[in-house]
């Protein structure tokens, strides 16, 4: 039997592109069904992320016309990551592919993703070949950001946005992550499983404007760092330790000046030494508190400790069934 595919599309005020997106995705899905690659109960899941324009009426109407289209309306604007997550958690397919509504991600990568999935990959990343369609500013900041994340120890796939295939096992594993501050690009690599990469060219937005103004982009970037790295807190400890050491040196020097030279001003050493020493010690203490805070922070996420990729007893069960 063919596998069932769910394509998840987050939409926020996308009335300008939606008709075209619906047309292209529907025809792609039909082609795949005819080619026998996916089952005919596959679905297009459009998630309306609290749009204030005609997005929802368009989705609703399309769902009446085509049996392939399914609409999910979020109660308010929750943001891109949450919209994708909502779609994935409600998708019924054996595999899901998340793709933006604006047709920037080349849909031709979808058959390749399916091929990689059929060959055994639970997670297939769509990765941009070049960033020529982005402005210099966006390209530069995005690449610098990926480098920074890597330096901070956050596992991330370079030049991969949220265009990816997830198999059923990966979706169920993802369900166990209950974090409120969601950064999917950071969570997915933590799942593990066998992965594959499909390269594609990123086009210009088909119509409409970016729903990611600078403010939202910076918020997502900050989310990526603070949700996955406690390195900034560790840096405070390191800074505190360094300043403490330097302050001990300065104190010794001040004492030396006081005892062995007559260049010292009365009251100078007793004023300066405590300032350095206490400053350094305080920073060190904040750093130590930060380390504990980091541990508490990680514990509160209650991330799953493992995911089982293969269980051989499942194969026995399969053999037993008629
Ligand atoms: N989006 C969303 N909620 C938001 C912002 C964006 O669901 O609050 C959707 C949007 O409709 C699109 C995808 O997220 O399908 C990516 O947004 P966009 O194309 O505007 O981002 P960009 O490509 O400019 O980074
Ligand atoms: Mg876009």
């Amino acid at each position: 039997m063919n596998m069932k595919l769910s394509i998840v599309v987050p939409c926020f005020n996308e009335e300008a592109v939606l008709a075209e997106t619906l047309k292209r995705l529907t025809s792609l899905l039909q082609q795949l069904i005819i080619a026998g690659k996916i089952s005919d109960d596959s679905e297009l899941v459009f998630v309306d992320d609290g749009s204030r324009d005609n997005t929802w009426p368009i989705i609703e109407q399309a769902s009446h016309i085509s049996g392939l289209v399914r609409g999910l309306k979020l109660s308010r604007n929750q943001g891109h990551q949450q919209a994708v997550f909502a779609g994935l958690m409600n998708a019924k397919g054996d595999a899901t592919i998340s793709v933006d509504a604006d047709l920037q991600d080349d849909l031709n990568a979808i058959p390749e993703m399916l091929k990689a999935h059929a060959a055994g990959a639970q997670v297939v990343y769509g990765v941009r070949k070049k960033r020529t369609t982005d402005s210099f500013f966006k390209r530069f900041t995005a690449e610098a950001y990926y480098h920074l994340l890597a330096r901070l120890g956050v596992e991330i796939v370079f030049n991969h946005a949220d265009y990816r295939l997830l198999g059923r096992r990966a979706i169920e594993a993802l369900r166990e992550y209950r974090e409120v501050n969601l950064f999917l690009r950071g969570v997915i690599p933590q799942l593990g499983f066998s992965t594959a990469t499909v390269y594609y060219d990123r086009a210009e937005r088909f119509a409409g404007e970016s729903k990611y103004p600078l403010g939202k982009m910076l918020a997502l970037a900050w989310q990526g760092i603070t949700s996955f790295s406690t390195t900034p807190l560790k840096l405070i400890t390191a800074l505190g330790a360094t300043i403490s050491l330097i302050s001990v040196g300065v104190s010794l020097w001040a004492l030396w000046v006081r005892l062995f030279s007559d260049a010292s001003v009365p009251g100078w050493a007793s004023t300066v030494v405590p300032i350095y020493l206490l400053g350094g010690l305080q920073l060190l203490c904040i750093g130590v508190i930060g380390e504990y805070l980091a541990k508490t922070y990680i514990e509160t996420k209650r991330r799953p400790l493992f995911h089982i990729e293969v269980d051989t007893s499942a194969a026995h069960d399969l053999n037993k069934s008629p």
Side-chain angles (χ1 to χ4, degrees):
M1 219 180 63
N2 285 328
M3 65 132 199
K4 175 173 173 158
L5 175 68
S6 300
I7 297 185
V8 172
V9 191
C11 311
F12 177 56
N13 294 343
E14 297 286 10
E15 61 179 7
V17 288
L18 218 52
E20 182 68 19
T21 311
L22 267 160
K23 201 172 88 191
R24 291 201 202 171
L25 280 174
T26 311
S27 87
L28 176 76
L29 219 59
Q30 278 162 349
Q31 278 171 29
L32 289 169
I33 291 171
I34 291 169
K37 299 242 162 63
I38 57 175
S39 68
D40 58 4
D41 59 346
S42 294
E43 55 178 6
L44 295 172
V45 185
F46 285 87
V47 184
D48 174 24
D49 185 18
S51 300
R52 287 180 278 271
D53 64 358
N54 269 323
T55 299
W56 179 246
I58 297 173
I59 295 174
E60 207 175 16
Q61 203 198 2
S63 74
H64 293 317
I65 297 171
S66 166
L68 293 176
V69 177
R70 182 173 153 208
L72 290 178
K73 187 179 192 302
L74 300 191
S75 58
R76 51 161 288 188
N77 180 243
Q78 297 283 10
H80 175 221
Q81 299 289 296
Q82 283 79 350
V84 173
F85 192 68
L88 294 178
M89 290 302 108
N90 286 286
K92 297 189 179 127
D94 304 311
T96 60
I97 293 178
S98 49
V99 61
D100 287 353
D102 59 1
L103 298 171
Q104 279 194 284
D105 305 323
D106 184 7
L107 298 183
N108 292 321
I110 289 181
E112 282 181 61
M113 286 182 175
L114 290 174
K115 215 182 279 172
H117 178 56
Q122 267 300 306
V123 181
V124 186
Y125 296 107
V127 172
R128 295 173 210 184
K129 275 186 209 151
K130 297 185 240 94
R131 283 186 163 263
T132 41
T133 51
D134 284 340
S135 65
F136 172 77
F137 174 74
K138 181 140 187 181
R139 194 158 69 207
F140 177 76
T141 50
E143 283 178 358
Y145 178 65
Y146 284 123
H147 282 296
L148 177 68
L149 279 183
R151 288 296 290 273
L152 291 175
V154 185
E155 210 184 313
I156 198 151
V157 178
F158 227 71
N159 276 338
H160 157 71
D162 287 293
Y163 188 23
R164 70 175 84 78
L165 179 147
L166 294 175
R168 199 19 72 190
R169 274 180 184 274
I171 291 282
E172 292 314 316
L174 181 63
R175 207 185 290 283
E176 293 179 36
Y177 288 75
R178 310 233 49 105
E179 46 207 273
V180 181
N181 295 297
L182 190 63
F183 186 65
L184 284 170
R185 278 165 237 187
V187 176
I188 307 286
Q190 300 220 333
L191 298 178
F193 296 111
S194 49
T195 61
T197 305
V198 164
Y199 294 91
Y200 71 97
D201 283 316
R202 185 146 157 113
E204 301 271 5
R205 193 174 234 285
F206 181 76
E209 302 210 319
S210 172
K211 308 298 180 293
Y212 259 104
L214 190 65
K216 265 192 191 174
M217 213 165 80
L218 288 177
L220 183 71
W222 185 237
Q223 186 88 282
I225 294 175
T226 53
S227 294
F228 285 89
S229 176
T230 49
T231 308
L233 291 173
K234 295 200 166 67
L235 288 179
I236 298 181
T237 316
L239 188 68
T242 313
I243 292 183
S244 295
L245 271 180
I246 294 174
S247 73
V248 169
V250 171
S251 308
L252 290 177
W253 174 70
L255 263 179
W256 186 85
V257 172
R258 170 72 184 79
L259 296 176
F260 301 109
S261 80
D262 33 84
S264 75
V265 182
W268 183 80
S270 60
T271 313
V272 167
V273 171
I275 289 178
Y276 280 97
L277 211 58
L278 285 177
L281 278 178
Q282 277 171 351
L283 208 53
L284 184 64
C285 292
I286 292 175
V288 172
I289 293 172
E291 298 278 332
Y292 284 99
L293 180 70
K295 291 255 158 43
T296 317
Y297 174 61
I298 289 172
E299 292 289 343
T300 57
K301 285 182 186 280
R302 303 218 134 271
R303 282 183 178 156
L305 298 182
F306 58 86
H307 307 293
I308 292 171
E309 184 163 1
V310 181
D311 177 354
T312 57
S313 73
H316 294 310
D317 292 345
L318 217 67
N319 291 339
K320 259 183 253 161
S321 64

